[in-house]
Amino acid sequence: MARKNSRHRARTLGLLAGLGAGMGMPLAAQSLWLPASDPVGIARSGAGVAFGQSLEAAALNPALLVTLREGTSAFVAAGMELQSSQGTLGSNSNVNFSTDRNRFLPALGAAWRLSQDVTLGIKVDNPFMRHALFDSAYAGRFEALGMDLTTHRFEVQGAWSITPGWSVGASVGVTRVQYGFRNSVRVPVPANPLAAQSASNPTQGLLEVVAMEEGTKTLPSYALGFRWAINPRWTVAGAWQGSIQGTLGMKSKILTDAQRLVGVDGVGSPDVPAVTNAPIVLGQLTSGTGDGTLTLPGRATVGVRQRLNQTFTWEFDLRYVQGASTRIPGYPTVTGPSGTVTGGGMPGKFHSGYGFSLAGEMVLTKRLTGRMGVAMDPGLREDPSLEPTLGGARSASFSFGLGWRALGGEFNLGWQIRQAQDREVPTLDGRWDQNGYTTMNTLTRVEGMGHLWSLGFKKAF
């Protein structure tokens, strides 16, 4: 028996070493979606569609609900999601850092066994999150100055055990989507501020203001899953998380606290009369919203799980992200005496791709469980159409966590780091003069990093 346990420990340490080596891969930028909102899912870097007997994994695949040993169980968790982005101009090495970095990250799950073959559950999580805000000196402000995308999802789940080894599940509910966006625009200040610019009413300066739009809506969401337990050690499973789409009710406004007045060349000083006429033009400006249509990508995942021995279990998940269907609402507009202006729009197209998660879970003591994971996600945007607000490059994450059984339940902690791969893009640095906006084709270095952490408590009743 001692020799057998020794072999088990050796194989377990070998797998942990392989997982640790995988965590040394080059890092990439943050993705638009979150791997999970609960501490166990975060610690596993989003792997878990085949991880039976785990209430947290059932949030990824509802078919796992029937594998729970307890008749009734629930968990509650709370943490923080942190994102930071920066852009560095290659021409002068000026660095702009984003603010508005932190978001509260709640999560909740529960399950009730109705019969031997049927289990119901609920989940509350945050599938997508992206936020960044730059100051008025940021070179890419005409393309995007700030963005805030937050989602809160609530779904009712159900699972049915067809046979002891096969089960299927589904969840349906709603996702509350909150979206905000802002960018800078410039409007002409002509000699006669009450009339449109023309050859007889020349522009004497350009007034820069920030256009902002916000929208909120509750949209339907759903997920489907299956599980096949080949034997007590091997499980294969899969899940589909449907896309979230709809048209947001948008509102717009003009932020005048960041206004500035420049010359007709876009960089120099305006003519003296423009200083007097600019407030008159500002008073006539009105804002409008862009198209409020939003589509957040669906995701298909297939996973394989092995219970290697009594102490160690690993899982590998392969996922396909339907990123080509992604759509972000149109830009806000500003209308004045000389017409309507808007931002140039985020260049490039969204595209789909494949990613993976690899996780290991080890029983350290009777009360203590250790977890670790690594993940790679596909890029959402084609190179070189990247910028710091929305991001969109390939992504990587590394995580670990602990579970401690106490007070009749289990406390769980999960932490994940998301660090950006440096990218250089030619579309961010531009000039807006009296003829409109043009890019300078100067390279800008785009970087970013982020963290997820969550602390929760799970209990069976």
Side-chain angles (χ1 to χ4, degrees), residues 305-334:
R305 170 196 182 229
Q306 183 196 17
R307 187 185 182 198
L308 183 65
N309 50 48
Q310 296 294 326
T311 61
F312 186 75
T313 301
W314 65 269
E315 178 167 340
F316 176 81
D317 287 0
L318 178 66
R319 57 181 162 271
Y320 172 76
V321 180
Q322 196 180 33
S325 63
T326 302
R327 185 170 179 180
I328 301 297
Y331 275 34
T333 61
V334 172

mmCIF file of all heavy atoms in Angstrom, residues 305-334:
data_model
loop_
_atom_site.group_PDB
_atom_site.id
_atom_site.type_symbol
_atom_site.label_atom_id
_atom_site.label_comp_id
_atom_site.label_asym_id
_atom_site.label_seq_id
_atom_site.Cartn_x
_atom_site.Cartn_y
_atom_site.Cartn_z
ATOM 1 N N ARG A 305 -12.055 15.221 -18.124
ATOM 2 C CA ARG A 305 -11.608 15.243 -16.744
ATOM 3 C C ARG A 305 -11.152 13.849 -16.338
ATOM 4 O O ARG A 305 -11.791 12.854 -16.687
ATOM 5 C CB ARG A 305 -12.740 15.696 -15.832
ATOM 6 C CG ARG A 305 -12.455 15.535 -14.330
ATOM 7 C CD ARG A 305 -13.752 15.629 -13.556
ATOM 8 N NE ARG A 305 -13.548 15.523 -12.114
ATOM 9 C CZ ARG A 305 -14.250 14.720 -11.335
ATOM 10 N NH1 ARG A 305 -15.166 13.926 -11.836
ATOM 11 N NH2 ARG A 305 -14.031 14.691 -10.021
ATOM 12 N N GLN A 306 -10.042 13.796 -15.615
ATOM 13 C CA GLN A 306 -9.566 12.516 -15.071
ATOM 14 C C GLN A 306 -9.318 12.651 -13.581
ATOM 15 O O GLN A 306 -8.619 13.569 -13.137
ATOM 16 C CB GLN A 306 -8.272 12.050 -15.742
ATOM 17 C CG GLN A 306 -7.821 10.684 -15.233
ATOM 18 C CD GLN A 306 -6.367 10.364 -15.564
ATOM 19 O OE1 GLN A 306 -5.595 11.253 -15.891
ATOM 20 N NE2 GLN A 306 -6.013 9.096 -15.485
ATOM 21 N N ARG A 307 -9.861 11.727 -12.830
ATOM 22 C CA ARG A 307 -9.514 11.605 -11.412
ATOM 23 C C ARG A 307 -8.329 10.664 -11.339
ATOM 24 O O ARG A 307 -8.469 9.439 -11.349
ATOM 25 C CB ARG A 307 -10.698 11.054 -10.619
ATOM 26 C CG ARG A 307 -10.472 11.058 -9.117
ATOM 27 C CD ARG A 307 -11.626 10.399 -8.399
ATOM 28 N NE ARG A 307 -11.428 10.437 -6.950
ATOM 29 C CZ ARG A 307 -12.088 9.656 -6.113
ATOM 30 N NH1 ARG A 307 -12.968 8.765 -6.577
ATOM 31 N NH2 ARG A 307 -11.867 9.744 -4.827
ATOM 32 N N LEU A 308 -7.133 11.233 -11.290
ATOM 33 C CA LEU A 308 -5.916 10.441 -11.390
ATOM 34 C C LEU A 308 -5.774 9.473 -10.229
ATOM 35 O O LEU A 308 -5.420 8.306 -10.407
ATOM 36 C CB LEU A 308 -4.703 11.369 -11.450
ATOM 37 C CG LEU A 308 -3.345 10.703 -11.621
ATOM 38 C CD1 LEU A 308 -3.250 10.012 -12.980
ATOM 39 C CD2 LEU A 308 -2.223 11.731 -11.473
ATOM 40 N N ASN A 309 -6.037 9.942 -9.023
ATOM 41 C CA ASN A 309 -5.973 9.105 -7.832
ATOM 42 C C ASN A 309 -6.845 9.742 -6.759
ATOM 43 O O ASN A 309 -7.644 10.638 -7.054
ATOM 44 C CB ASN A 309 -4.517 8.921 -7.357
ATOM 45 C CG ASN A 309 -3.783 10.251 -7.237
ATOM 46 O OD1 ASN A 309 -4.301 11.197 -6.654
ATOM 47 N ND2 ASN A 309 -2.577 10.326 -7.797
ATOM 48 N N GLN A 310 -6.695 9.305 -5.524
ATOM 49 C CA GLN A 310 -7.544 9.794 -4.452
ATOM 50 C C GLN A 310 -7.295 11.264 -4.111
ATOM 51 O O GLN A 310 -8.132 11.897 -3.472
ATOM 52 C CB GLN A 310 -7.326 8.942 -3.191
ATOM 53 C CG GLN A 310 -7.725 7.489 -3.346
ATOM 54 C CD GLN A 310 -9.225 7.325 -3.553
ATOM 55 O OE1 GLN A 310 -10.008 8.083 -3.009
ATOM 56 N NE2 GLN A 310 -9.614 6.334 -4.334
ATOM 57 N N THR A 311 -6.159 11.790 -4.552
ATOM 58 C CA THR A 311 -5.800 13.153 -4.146
ATOM 59 C C THR A 311 -5.798 14.170 -5.287
ATOM 60 O O THR A 311 -5.881 15.370 -5.019
ATOM 61 C CB THR A 311 -4.404 13.172 -3.495
ATOM 62 O OG1 THR A 311 -3.432 12.723 -4.453
ATOM 63 C CG2 THR A 311 -4.367 12.262 -2.274
ATOM 64 N N PHE A 312 -5.699 13.730 -6.534
ATOM 65 C CA PHE A 312 -5.505 14.692 -7.616
ATOM 66 C C PHE A 312 -6.468 14.448 -8.772
ATOM 67 O O PHE A 312 -6.672 13.315 -9.212
ATOM 68 C CB PHE A 312 -4.069 14.630 -8.136
ATOM 69 C CG PHE A 312 -3.756 15.700 -9.159
ATOM 70 C CD1 PHE A 312 -3.552 17.010 -8.763
ATOM 71 C CD2 PHE A 312 -3.685 15.393 -10.510
ATOM 72 C CE1 PHE A 312 -3.267 17.999 -9.693
ATOM 73 C CE2 PHE A 312 -3.388 16.374 -11.446
ATOM 74 C CZ PHE A 312 -3.184 17.682 -11.026
ATOM 75 N N THR A 313 -7.076 15.537 -9.251
ATOM 76 C CA THR A 313 -7.966 15.527 -10.411
ATOM 77 C C THR A 313 -7.562 16.663 -11.336
ATOM 78 O O THR A 313 -7.251 17.765 -10.880
ATOM 79 C CB THR A 313 -9.429 15.717 -9.978
ATOM 80 O OG1 THR A 313 -9.808 14.671 -9.084
ATOM 81 C CG2 THR A 313 -10.353 15.693 -11.184
ATOM 82 N N TRP A 314 -7.544 16.380 -12.634
ATOM 83 C CA TRP A 314 -7.220 17.420 -13.611
ATOM 84 C C TRP A 314 -8.298 17.479 -14.683
ATOM 85 O O TRP A 314 -9.030 16.514 -14.901
ATOM 86 C CB TRP A 314 -5.845 17.205 -14.246
ATOM 87 C CG TRP A 314 -5.730 15.941 -15.080
ATOM 88 C CD1 TRP A 314 -5.331 14.715 -14.657
ATOM 89 C CD2 TRP A 314 -6.035 15.812 -16.467
ATOM 90 N NE1 TRP A 314 -5.356 13.805 -15.691
ATOM 91 C CE2 TRP A 314 -5.782 14.449 -16.817
ATOM 92 C CE3 TRP A 314 -6.482 16.676 -17.454
ATOM 93 C CZ2 TRP A 314 -5.974 13.965 -18.106
ATOM 94 C CZ3 TRP A 314 -6.681 16.189 -18.748
ATOM 95 C CH2 TRP A 314 -6.419 14.862 -19.069
ATOM 96 N N GLU A 315 -8.388 18.630 -15.340
ATOM 97 C CA GLU A 315 -9.329 18.794 -16.455
ATOM 98 C C GLU A 315 -8.717 19.682 -17.519
ATOM 99 O O GLU A 315 -8.041 20.680 -17.221
ATOM 100 C CB GLU A 315 -10.657 19.386 -15.993
ATOM 101 C CG GLU A 315 -11.614 19.611 -17.158
ATOM 102 C CD GLU A 315 -13.047 19.906 -16.751
ATOM 103 O OE1 GLU A 315 -13.422 19.588 -15.605
ATOM 104 O OE2 GLU A 315 -13.795 20.439 -17.593
ATOM 105 N N PHE A 316 -9.003 19.323 -18.776
ATOM 106 C CA PHE A 316 -8.598 20.133 -19.925
ATOM 107 C C PHE A 316 -9.860 20.481 -20.716
ATOM 108 O O PHE A 316 -10.620 19.599 -21.102
ATOM 109 C CB PHE A 316 -7.619 19.377 -20.819
ATOM 110 C CG PHE A 316 -7.233 20.138 -22.067
ATOM 111 C CD1 PHE A 316 -6.260 21.119 -22.024
ATOM 112 C CD2 PHE A 316 -7.867 19.889 -23.276
ATOM 113 C CE1 PHE A 316 -5.909 21.827 -23.165
ATOM 114 C CE2 PHE A 316 -7.522 20.584 -24.427
ATOM 115 C CZ PHE A 316 -6.534 21.561 -24.371
ATOM 116 N N ASP A 317 -10.081 21.777 -20.939
ATOM 117 C CA ASP A 317 -11.233 22.264 -21.704
ATOM 118 C C ASP A 317 -10.758 22.943 -22.985
ATOM 119 O O ASP A 317 -9.838 23.777 -22.948
ATOM 120 C CB ASP A 317 -12.044 23.269 -20.891
ATOM 121 C CG ASP A 317 -12.845 22.623 -19.786
ATOM 122 O OD1 ASP A 317 -12.783 21.388 -19.647
ATOM 123 O OD2 ASP A 317 -13.541 23.364 -19.052
ATOM 124 N N LEU A 318 -11.394 22.617 -24.089
ATOM 125 C CA LEU A 318 -11.164 23.291 -25.368
ATOM 126 C C LEU A 318 -12.429 24.061 -25.709
ATOM 127 O O LEU A 318 -13.526 23.497 -25.686
ATOM 128 C CB LEU A 318 -10.848 22.279 -26.462
ATOM 129 C CG LEU A 318 -10.640 22.849 -27.876
ATOM 130 C CD1 LEU A 318 -9.386 23.716 -27.928
ATOM 131 C CD2 LEU A 318 -10.573 21.736 -28.907
ATOM 132 N N ARG A 319 -12.301 25.342 -26.033
ATOM 133 C CA ARG A 319 -13.493 26.145 -26.307
ATOM 134 C C ARG A 319 -13.363 26.915 -27.614
ATOM 135 O O ARG A 319 -12.267 27.286 -28.052
ATOM 136 C CB ARG A 319 -13.779 27.099 -25.162
ATOM 137 C CG ARG A 319 -12.661 28.049 -24.814
ATOM 138 C CD ARG A 319 -13.042 28.936 -23.633
ATOM 139 N NE ARG A 319 -11.857 29.535 -23.046
ATOM 140 C CZ ARG A 319 -11.152 28.968 -22.077
ATOM 141 N NH1 ARG A 319 -11.515 27.789 -21.590
ATOM 142 N NH2 ARG A 319 -10.073 29.561 -21.591
ATOM 143 N N TYR A 320 -14.522 27.147 -28.208
ATOM 144 C CA TYR A 320 -14.645 27.942 -29.431
ATOM 145 C C TYR A 320 -15.487 29.164 -29.110
ATOM 146 O O TYR A 320 -16.620 29.041 -28.631
ATOM 147 C CB TYR A 320 -15.308 27.129 -30.529
ATOM 148 C CG TYR A 320 -15.648 27.934 -31.769
ATOM 149 C CD1 TYR A 320 -14.651 28.294 -32.672
ATOM 150 C CD2 TYR A 320 -16.963 28.329 -32.017
ATOM 151 C CE1 TYR A 320 -14.963 29.038 -33.803
ATOM 152 C CE2 TYR A 320 -17.275 29.058 -33.150
ATOM 153 C CZ TYR A 320 -16.273 29.418 -34.036
ATOM 154 O OH TYR A 320 -16.579 30.149 -35.158
ATOM 155 N N VAL A 321 -14.943 30.352 -29.347
ATOM 156 C CA VAL A 321 -15.640 31.607 -29.086
ATOM 157 C C VAL A 321 -16.143 32.173 -30.404
ATOM 158 O O VAL A 321 -15.354 32.390 -31.334
ATOM 159 C CB VAL A 321 -14.722 32.615 -28.382
ATOM 160 C CG1 VAL A 321 -15.469 33.923 -28.128
ATOM 161 C CG2 VAL A 321 -14.206 32.050 -27.065
ATOM 162 N N GLN A 322 -17.446 32.395 -30.482
ATOM 163 C CA GLN A 322 -18.082 32.874 -31.713
ATOM 164 C C GLN A 322 -17.939 34.390 -31.805
ATOM 165 O O GLN A 322 -18.916 35.138 -31.819
ATOM 166 C CB GLN A 322 -19.554 32.452 -31.715
ATOM 167 C CG GLN A 322 -20.234 32.536 -33.056
ATOM 168 C CD GLN A 322 -21.689 32.110 -32.957
ATOM 169 O OE1 GLN A 322 -22.357 32.319 -31.948
ATOM 170 N NE2 GLN A 322 -22.191 31.509 -34.004
ATOM 171 N N GLY A 323 -16.694 34.825 -31.881
ATOM 172 C CA GLY A 323 -16.425 36.258 -31.820
ATOM 173 C C GLY A 323 -16.822 37.039 -33.043
ATOM 174 O O GLY A 323 -17.025 38.253 -32.955
ATOM 175 N N ALA A 324 -16.955 36.379 -34.210
ATOM 176 C CA ALA A 324 -17.277 37.102 -35.435
ATOM 177 C C ALA A 324 -18.641 37.774 -35.359
ATOM 178 O O ALA A 324 -18.907 38.738 -36.089
ATOM 179 C CB ALA A 324 -17.219 36.146 -36.622
ATOM 180 N N SER A 325 -19.513 37.293 -34.489
ATOM 181 C CA SER A 325 -20.853 37.878 -34.359
ATOM 182 C C SER A 325 -20.878 39.082 -33.417
ATOM 183 O O SER A 325 -21.919 39.722 -33.256
ATOM 184 C CB SER A 325 -21.836 36.822 -33.854
ATOM 185 O OG SER A 325 -21.475 36.375 -32.552
ATOM 186 N N THR A 326 -19.753 39.392 -32.766
ATOM 187 C CA THR A 326 -19.704 40.494 -31.804
ATOM 188 C C THR A 326 -20.064 41.828 -32.465
ATOM 189 O O THR A 326 -19.643 42.122 -33.583
ATOM 190 C CB THR A 326 -18.300 40.599 -31.183
ATOM 191 O OG1 THR A 326 -17.978 39.358 -30.565
ATOM 192 C CG2 THR A 326 -18.256 41.705 -30.143
ATOM 193 N N ARG A 327 -20.828 42.608 -31.762
ATOM 194 C CA ARG A 327 -21.181 43.943 -32.260
ATOM 195 C C ARG A 327 -21.237 44.911 -31.096
ATOM 196 O O ARG A 327 -21.862 44.637 -30.067
ATOM 197 C CB ARG A 327 -22.521 43.918 -32.990
ATOM 198 C CG ARG A 327 -22.869 45.260 -33.631
ATOM 199 C CD ARG A 327 -24.064 45.141 -34.550
ATOM 200 N NE ARG A 327 -24.401 46.420 -35.149
ATOM 201 C CZ ARG A 327 -25.407 46.615 -35.999
ATOM 202 N NH1 ARG A 327 -26.148 45.581 -36.352
ATOM 203 N NH2 ARG A 327 -25.653 47.813 -36.490
ATOM 204 N N ILE A 328 -20.577 46.054 -31.249
ATOM 205 C CA ILE A 328 -20.558 47.110 -30.238
ATOM 206 C C ILE A 328 -21.431 48.269 -30.730
ATOM 207 O O ILE A 328 -21.428 48.585 -31.923
ATOM 208 C CB ILE A 328 -19.114 47.598 -30.002
ATOM 209 C CG1 ILE A 328 -18.243 46.435 -29.532
ATOM 210 C CG2 ILE A 328 -19.075 48.719 -28.983
ATOM 211 C CD1 ILE A 328 -18.667 45.830 -28.209
ATOM 212 N N PRO A 329 -22.216 48.909 -29.858
ATOM 213 C CA PRO A 329 -23.065 50.033 -30.291
ATOM 214 C C PRO A 329 -22.283 51.115 -31.026
ATOM 215 O O PRO A 329 -21.093 51.323 -30.790
ATOM 216 C CB PRO A 329 -23.641 50.558 -28.973
ATOM 217 C CG PRO A 329 -23.670 49.366 -28.079
ATOM 218 C CD PRO A 329 -22.430 48.588 -28.432
ATOM 219 N N GLY A 330 -22.988 51.800 -31.936
ATOM 220 C CA GLY A 330 -22.375 52.868 -32.705
ATOM 221 C C GLY A 330 -21.977 54.056 -31.846
ATOM 222 O O GLY A 330 -22.435 54.208 -30.705
ATOM 223 N N TYR A 331 -21.145 54.915 -32.398
ATOM 224 C CA TYR A 331 -20.605 56.052 -31.664
ATOM 225 C C TYR A 331 -21.652 57.141 -31.433
ATOM 226 O O TYR A 331 -22.562 57.344 -32.250
ATOM 227 C CB TYR A 331 -19.442 56.651 -32.451
ATOM 228 C CG TYR A 331 -18.116 55.977 -32.211
ATOM 229 C CD1 TYR A 331 -18.026 54.618 -31.977
ATOM 230 C CD2 TYR A 331 -16.939 56.709 -32.227
ATOM 231 C CE1 TYR A 331 -16.811 54.006 -31.754
ATOM 232 C CE2 TYR A 331 -15.708 56.108 -32.007
ATOM 233 C CZ TYR A 331 -15.656 54.756 -31.776
ATOM 234 O OH TYR A 331 -14.450 54.141 -31.547
ATOM 235 N N PRO A 332 -21.515 57.901 -30.322
ATOM 236 C CA PRO A 332 -22.385 59.068 -30.117
ATOM 237 C C PRO A 332 -22.037 60.156 -31.128
ATOM 238 O O PRO A 332 -20.941 60.186 -31.701
ATOM 239 C CB PRO A 332 -22.064 59.500 -28.685
ATOM 240 C CG PRO A 332 -20.662 59.010 -28.451
ATOM 241 C CD PRO A 332 -20.564 57.717 -29.213
ATOM 242 N N THR A 333 -22.975 61.071 -31.339
ATOM 243 C CA THR A 333 -22.789 62.150 -32.297
ATOM 244 C C THR A 333 -22.953 63.502 -31.606
ATOM 245 O O THR A 333 -23.598 63.610 -30.558
ATOM 246 C CB THR A 333 -23.806 62.054 -33.451
ATOM 247 O OG1 THR A 333 -25.134 62.156 -32.910
ATOM 248 C CG2 THR A 333 -23.663 60.723 -34.177
ATOM 249 N N VAL A 334 -22.358 64.524 -32.209
ATOM 250 C CA VAL A 334 -22.505 65.906 -31.749
ATOM 251 C C VAL A 334 -22.899 66.752 -32.953
ATOM 252 O O VAL A 334 -22.239 66.706 -34.003
ATOM 253 C CB VAL A 334 -21.200 66.439 -31.129
ATOM 254 C CG1 VAL A 334 -21.313 67.927 -30.832
ATOM 255 C CG2 VAL A 334 -20.868 65.671 -29.859
#
